[in-house]
Amino acid sequence: MMRPKQAVVAWLLAGSVLLSVCAAWAAEPSAPAAKPSGAPIKVGHLASLTGSEANFGQSCDRGVQIAAEERNAAGGVLGRPVEISVVDDQSKNQEVNNCMMKLIQQDQVVAVVGEIASSNTMAAIPTAQKYKVPLVTPGSTNPEVTKRGDYVFRICYTDEYQGRVIARFAYKRLGTKNAAVITDQASAYSINLSKIFTDEFTKLGGKVAVEVAYKKTDSEYNAQVNQALQAKPDLLVLTGYYTNVGNIVQTARKAGFEGPCVGGDGWDADTLYQIGGKALDNTYFTNHYTPDDPNPKVQAFIAKYKSRHGAVPDAMAILGYDAAMVVFDAIQRAGATEGPKIRDALAATKDFVGLSGTITIDAERNAKKNIVVVGIKDAKQYLKEAWKDE
Amino acid sequence: MDWFISQTISGLTLGGVYALIALGYSLVYGVLKLINFAHGDVYMVGAIAAFGTACAFGWGQTADEYVRSGVMLAMLAVAVVSCLGLGYVIERFAYRPLRRAPRLNSLITAIGVSFLLESIFQLPGVFGASPRGFPQCELPLGPIRLAGATVRLEQLLILGGTLFFLLVCRYIILHTRTGLGIRATSFHHDYARLMGVNVDRITSLTFLLGSGLAAVAGVFVGLYQHQVDPLMGVNAGLKAFTAAVVGGIGNLAGAVLGGILMGLSETYIAGSAFSAFRDAFAFALLILILLVRPGGLLGSVAPEKV
């Protein structure tokens, strides 16, 4: 039994502790962060700002810029402001090396965010390895990418996972059994995704009736579509990018194909809906995020992005934001700006809460992430299914 | 059999478009001995002009047949007029000042003009870097069944349109005074001048004719391929140029033949199990033809006079 006096003291103590906790909690968000000072820390962004995948590069860059802004408003990195140097590789493989050299030698960046297209990321790896500059890809899903060097990291899921989900979705949910696979033969991403899909779909008991190839510079797909429809498929699998997918679906619909079409995250860009229009009804693709995500952080980002760019961000904007934030976080934890130290900090990234999910970098320098299946109706996307492994 | 019919119609449609563009290369080569590398981009401008017109008039939102036909004609008219203007400007300011300079200089200028046009149209304020969908219009008939094969009405329309414009071009070259001037100029500049031909004027007109045909090709392609982008002229231009060479550069019937051949071979390959070899095969065919007939199918090799 406590004496009254002691009890009062104890209550007072408890109360004051509680109060101070409350005060600290209340003060934290509003306390002005120390303004970053000193020479900026430069982070490169290698992006396709023009050319065939311009949508990817531009969206991603908007995400990266918002990330840098928010980080600077919150005190920067190591007390210094961060600055993004963006270079445009024009969606061309052969430009990537020049761009990387410019970032590393002229702009002296400490790490690089980029690219989206797997072929372009792979082209950047030799330079990143040579100069020991960490390369964090926001959206390259080809599994090969992170195997090419220990300075390469990925914050999105891989095609091994994505391809399996597309196959399972098509087989189990859509009930399709006879697929025609149409591949962009100039894209490492597309070739690999087609292969993974084919393996999984066949394993499940489906049949790939015909495989057809095109190149992203082709502008006309009648020949390939005729060839694919010859096999009377009940499903078209389009593993390429939005640039061509809308056009191919249009061509297929005009040739009389009414069944479903499926594809991967390469579909996700406003341009797809603009080109494909009504023809895209009954098509589905796997993606990294959906604008329907109730997470308040995601909704806040969407609102900010919308007010600035007048459009709902696509997955590449979200991934660009996350990739940049992961890099800033790693530099902060490394406490230094040397490549090898940032690399080690990136490799140790654990439970980083991003917009596209929680990011933990594994031993293969990949992140295990969630996948959503998006459906299209009236040229608008909707959440078809948040995929759960079964 | 049905595979063959569908692919042949697709190939002919594509080949017709190549032929329209290839004529421009051959015409200009005839009078100037210049490969006008900016020609593919003139075609791109034609397609984008048609795209702008289609959007402005709300093509694809109306079901009225008369309005649709009207918009279609307006698209053709706007595309042709803008390309005529562009063709004239390119010739007047990029090539004419170099008429007396070594031929290599004009070639480099042509490449420069090509990059200039591509870069201008990639600016966000002009058109932007990413492709845009051509407004779609439901044609009255769906896919047409022909001996088991599927043929689209657009394909037949484009084939007919191509044929019409090829005949117009043929008429201009063979039966008008301008055509006579073009033929004289491509024979020899100085002799033509001695005969009272205004070579500068004829050269301008040749550019106009070529650009007009490219504009028509641009409109057809916009309708047919569902999308336009500022780099669409690069590949099409290259293929059409190849077609002109296969047919015998400077020879107009050859350009048409080369275009059709290119379109057909590409489509047959792309529509077979070897679809990955689409371009490789088309260009292998080019090498083969040129090995056997160095002057092209209908061209002749005149020994260069020194």
Side-chain angles (χ1 to χ4, degrees):
Chain A
M1 178 75 199
M2 218 184 258
R3 277 179 290 166
K5 207 176 167 189
Q6 277 177 323
V8 170
V9 172
W11 274 112
L12 275 176
L13 260 175
S16 62
V17 166
L18 197 72
L19 261 176
S20 61
V21 166
C22 282
W25 179 77
E28 199 199 47
S30 58
K35 211 171 149 41
S37 60
I41 294 178
K42 287 193 176 176
V43 173
H45 182 207
L46 173 70
S48 304
L49 296 178
T50 60
S52 50
E53 277 98 59
N55 260 42
F56 284 164
Q58 289 171 359
S59 287
C60 188
D61 194 50
R62 290 165 175 176
V64 171
Q65 300 292 352
I66 292 179
E69 241 178 73
E70 288 185 2
R71 183 79 202 202
N72 281 335
V77 175
L78 304 175
R80 291 158 65 183
V82 284
E83 190 182 310
I84 303 294
S85 295
V86 54
V87 282
D88 174 22
D89 61 30
Q90 303 165 35
S91 313
K92 287 182 197 156
N93 221 296
Q94 61 271 31
E95 290 291 327
V96 167
N97 193 37
N98 284 341
C99 293
M100 285 297 285
M101 290 307 282
K102 181 187 174 282
L103 284 178
I104 294 170
Q105 301 217 302
Q106 246 183 54
D107 300 345
Q108 310 259 322
V109 300
V110 301
V112 176
V113 173
E115 236 264 26
I116 302 284
S118 298
S119 326
N120 292 345
T121 308
M122 287 196 224
I125 293 172
T127 324
Q129 287 293 126
K130 186 174 165 204
Y131 292 92
K132 298 197 188 317
V133 174
L135 179 69
V136 179
T137 169
S140 292
T141 45
N142 189 314
E144 183 66 21
V145 168
T146 43
K147 292 178 189 158
R148 291 260 175 108
D150 57 352
Y151 274 78
V152 191
F153 295 85
R154 154 172 33 222
I155 60 132
C156 55
Y157 55 65
T158 65
D159 286 331
E160 287 185 23
Y161 185 39
Q162 168 163 251
R164 281 205 309 271
V165 172
I166 299 173
R168 284 185 198 164
F169 173 79
Y171 190 83
K172 294 184 175 162
R173 301 288 190 275
L174 299 175
T176 50
K177 305 279 180 287
N178 196 29
V181 177
I182 304 182
T183 307
D184 176 356
Q185 55 153 330
S187 145
Y189 158 79
S190 180
I191 295 171
N192 189 53
L193 192 56
S194 291
K195 191 178 154 292
I196 295 161
F197 172 89
T198 306
D199 289 351
E200 182 72 14
F201 198 66
T202 338
K203 213 188 281 167
L204 289 169
K207 187 173 146 240
V208 171
V210 58
E211 291 178 64
V212 190
Y214 66 92
K215 260 191 2 222
K216 74 176 179 190
T217 45
D218 290 350
S219 46
E220 194 261 354
Y221 306 97
N222 281 284
Q224 286 97 331
V225 167
N226 282 342
Q227 168 73 4
L229 297 189
Q230 193 75 18
K232 306 257 175 285
D234 56 7
L235 171 77
L236 289 190
V237 185
L238 304 163
T239 55
Y241 292 127
Y242 66 92
T243 330
N244 315 95
V245 164
N247 198 342
I248 297 175
V249 174
Q250 283 268 16
T251 308
R253 295 287 189 236
K254 286 200 175 159
F257 180 75
E258 283 164 2
C261 309
V262 293
D265 60 329
W267 282 32
D268 187 30
D270 271 348
T271 309
L272 176 76
Y273 311 110
Q274 204 260 323
I275 295 173
K278 201 73 183 114
L280 290 168
D281 283 6
N282 197 17
T283 63
Y284 310 90
F285 65 96
T286 43
N287 208 357
H288 307 269
Y289 114 109
T290 155
D292 302 336
D293 190 336
N295 179 351
K297 271 181 83 177
V298 175
Q299 289 306 325
F301 178 81
I302 294 178
K304 187 183 257 182
Y305 190 95
K306 240 178 165 171
S307 72
R308 236 177 255 193
H309 304 295
V312 176
D314 51 30
M316 298 312 157
I318 298 279
L319 291 174
Y321 178 92
D322 278 356
M325 282 304 198
V326 164
V327 170
F328 301 153
D329 175 65
I331 302 173
Q332 183 75 42
R333 280 187 290 110
T337 55
E338 285 87 18
K341 287 188 183 150
I342 300 177
R343 195 213 82 91
D344 293 343
L346 275 169
T349 301
K350 195 162 183 302
D351 297 329
F352 180 90
V353 182
L355 298 181
S356 61
T358 306
I359 296 165
T360 298
I361 300 289
D362 64 17
E364 268 85 50
R365 295 175 301 284
N366 293 323
K368 183 154 171 36
K369 299 283 287 289
N370 300 327
I371 218 163
V372 290
V373 180
V374 173
I376 305 175
K377 179 129 185 57
D378 293 324
K380 281 200 185 64
Q381 57 163 291
Y382 64 92
L383 177 65
K384 175 82 178 168
E385 186 174 349
W387 192 262
K388 293 272 176 301
D389 277 323
E390 11 189 288
Chain B
M1 189 59 203
D2 47 349
W3 175 90
F4 186 72
I5 296 175
S6 328
Q7 301 296 32
T8 306
I9 300 277
S10 299
L12 284 176
T13 315
L14 188 64
V17 171
Y18 287 157
L20 283 172
I21 310 173
L23 273 175
Y25 280 106
S26 248
L27 277 165
V28 168
Y29 185 83
V31 297
L32 280 187
K33 301 287 174 284
L34 161 75
I35 307 295
N36 178 16
F37 275 113
H39 192 59
D41 301 292
V42 173
Y43 147 85
M44 172 271 288
V45 173
I48 288 183
F51 166 81
T53 319
C55 291
F57 285 106
W59 162 270
Q61 287 155 22
T62 168
D64 188 326
E65 289 301 315
Y66 292 103
V67 176
R68 271 200 220 160
S69 320
V71 175
M72 182 122 166
L73 289 179
M75 275 175 352
L76 266 176
V78 172
V80 169
V81 168
S82 23
C83 285
L84 290 186
L86 183 67
Y88 179 78
V89 170
I90 293 176
E91 195 275 330
R92 180 66 189 79
F93 295 102
Y95 301 150
R96 196 179 292 182
L98 294 172
R99 198 63 57 75
R100 299 272 160 211
R103 211 177 291 160
L104 204 57
N105 296 17
S106 324
L107 191 75
I108 298 300
T109 317
I111 295 173
V113 171
S114 164
F115 281 135
L116 178 70
L117 286 174
E118 284 161 21
S119 311
I120 288 179
F121 276 86
Q122 284 196 57
L123 294 176
V126 183
F127 181 83
S130 40
R132 296 212 211 157
F134 209 92
Q136 290 300 304
C137 197
E138 290 284 319
L139 287 170
L141 294 169
I144 305 164
R145 293 261 153 206
L146 197 75
T150 326
V151 177
R152 283 157 49 192
L153 187 62
E154 292 120 286
Q155 296 180 313
L156 300 180
L157 277 179
I158 290 171
L159 268 178
T162 306
L163 197 64
F164 172 75
F165 283 101
L166 288 180
L167 289 175
V168 169
C169 174
R170 184 185 152 82
Y171 176 82
I172 294 177
I173 299 287
L174 292 183
H175 300 283
T176 64
R177 287 181 65 84
T178 309
L180 190 63
I182 292 178
R183 279 179 289 149
T185 307
S186 53
F187 183 72
H188 200 290
H189 281 204
D190 292 339
Y191 292 169
R193 248 187 221 110
L194 284 172
M195 296 297 138
V197 175
N198 182 343
V199 169
D200 276 338
R201 194 174 144 265
I202 288 296
T203 307
S204 288
L205 284 173
T206 311
F207 266 88
L208 293 190
L209 185 57
S211 305
L213 292 170
V216 172
V219 177
F220 286 168
V221 159
L223 288 177
Y224 185 51
Q225 301 183 350
H226 321 118
Q227 73 183 52
V228 289
D229 74 276
L231 297 178
M232 66 189 284
V234 178
N235 219 25
L238 191 66
K239 299 254 177 72
F241 168 61
T242 310
V245 175
V246 166
I249 190 131
N251 183 309
L252 301 187
V256 176
L257 183 66
I260 301 283
L261 205 66
M262 196 82 186
L264 280 178
S265 66
E266 224 189 287
T267 309
Y268 289 143
I269 293 299
S272 72
F274 306 104
S275 50
F277 293 91
R278 179 180 187 150
D279 290 352
F281 185 85
F283 285 98
L285 187 73
L286 157 89
I287 295 173
L288 210 66
I289 289 176
L290 290 183
L291 280 178
V292 180
R293 287 192 60 90
L297 287 173
L298 301 184
S300 53
V301 192
E304 189 99 351
K305 295 183 205 81
V306 188

